[in-house]
Amino acid sequence: MARRLIFTGTDSKNGGCPALHTDTDSGEVIVQGPPLRDPDDLGRLKHLGPDDVAVVVPAELLVNHGPKELHRVPNTIDLDEFGQLFRTFEHTAWRLETRRGYASDREDPTYSEFVETGSITLDYDDDWSQNIRRQVLAGKTIGRVRIVDEPPTEGQLFLLADSPRNTAAGEDIRCLLRSEANARLLPAEDFWIFDSRMVARLNFDEQDVFHDVEIITEPVEVLRYCQLRDVAMHDAIPCSEFAAHLRTT
């Protein structure tokens, strides 16, 4: 089974070697770089087994992008603090959505309406929409990319039907097929980025229940999430276009 790898970072100015990746399941770090080939150099290495490969990387790569602690102690905040972030951010708020469904959606009365009728009675003046309009009128930008399966799950179709409410308030919502996301090594995690300086990682259990929010402010980690945002945005299409395409297939 293929590893679930995420790109950790590189100091290369052209995006090539050397680089680090991380196995999100095991925590192992994969070092990518040019191989050490000189027989004399290889002969000086201790404990190099017959199936081992030695690679050469600058120390800066490990210092800048290697893990800083063996076990990170998460900095979690409660839901009230999390909600305040959508009122106090200064410039941008952006989210990656990767789950196949959310328990909170299934508990919404409009979910039953969607299952029964295939449509939703949209509330364009709910608390979320009111706040988004205020932020957009203040010159801020809010967006997200939703990863969608092939075919979309019931939960993803529900969110697609609800998208006009968000976009009417001023959000830029785009969709990306999961096959494309996997090809780009996007992680299977949900997070918000605020002002490109703070990441709020959303933690769910296997039943899609939202539990808590982990705040990440370490600059290298924040940069990695910003790079993931750029990868996700590439080729993601507006949700209205995605929905129209689904209706014709």
Side-chain angles (χ1 to χ4, degrees):
M1 182 176 179
R3 291 174 180 265
R4 186 184 297 276
L5 300 179
I6 59 172
F7 174 72
T8 306
T10 179
D11 290 318
S12 172
K13 300 301 185 292
N14 60 10
C17 288
L20 295 182
H21 289 74
T22 301
D23 185 324
T24 58
D25 294 325
S26 68
E28 294 174 307
V29 177
I30 287 79
V31 181
Q32 172 186 338
L36 184 66
R37 299 185 185 278
D38 187 284
D40 291 335
D41 292 336
L42 290 171
R44 294 187 176 92
L45 298 180
K46 295 184 177 180
H47 314 300
L48 186 70
D51 296 324
D52 295 340
V53 176
V55 298
V56 181
V57 298
E60 289 84 353
L61 177 71
L62 303 180
V63 171
N64 293 337
H65 303 288
K68 302 301 183 291
E69 52 191 0
L70 184 59
H71 301 290
R72 179 165 57 186
V73 178
N75 173 25
T76 58
I77 61 174
D78 60 33
L79 297 185
D80 288 338
E81 291 178 278
F82 179 51
Q84 283 299 317
L85 295 178
F86 295 95
R87 296 173 174 82
T88 59
F89 75 96
E90 298 180 10
H91 309 291
T92 61
W94 185 89
R95 178 177 178 177
L96 180 67
E97 292 184 5
T98 67
R99 301 191 69 83
R100 292 172 171 82
Y102 297 87
S104 58
D105 289 339
R106 296 192 290 268
E107 295 168 358
D108 193 300
T110 59
Y111 196 92
S112 298
E113 178 188 3
F114 174 76
V115 172
E116 294 173 3
T117 68
S119 62
I120 300 175
T121 302
L122 297 174
D123 181 1
Y124 291 95
D125 204 36
D126 64 327
D127 290 343
W128 175 265
S129 298
Q130 290 182 33
N131 180 60
I132 295 304
R133 284 197 293 270
R134 285 194 296 269
Q135 305 308 321
V136 172
L137 286 173
K140 305 176 187 181
T141 60
I142 303 170
R144 66 181 83 197
V145 167
R146 286 176 173 155
I147 307 303
V148 183
D149 286 87
E150 305 166 80
T153 66
E154 183 179 80
Q156 292 164 351
L157 290 173
F158 169 79
L159 288 174
L160 200 59
D162 189 53
S163 293
R165 176 180 61 88
N166 300 72
T167 54
E171 285 191 65
D172 176 17
I173 304 182
R174 297 172 181 263
C175 294
L176 183 68
L177 292 175
R178 191 172 299 277
S179 58
E180 297 288 340
N182 290 339
R184 289 166 170 74
L185 299 181
L186 288 173
E189 59 180 286
D190 282 35
F191 57 86
W192 280 93
I193 305 174
F194 296 97
D195 298 326
S196 297
R197 65 177 181 81
M198 175 192 298
V199 173
R201 185 161 63 185
L202 314 183
N203 296 319
F204 298 83
D205 64 21
E206 294 182 356
Q207 284 71 47
D208 304 318
V209 176
F210 176 46
H211 279 277
D212 55 38
V213 180
E214 179 183 352
I215 295 299
I216 300 171
T217 56
E218 202 280 318
V220 171
E221 274 292 284
V222 172
L223 174 61
R224 182 176 71 81
Y225 280 98
C226 290
Q227 292 170 336
L228 293 174
R229 174 189 60 197
D230 294 345
V231 171
M233 286 292 290
H234 189 76
D235 288 339
I237 65 174
C239 59
S240 57
E241 293 182 22
F242 189 86
H245 175 73
L246 280 182
R247 288 192 292 269
T248 62
T249 57

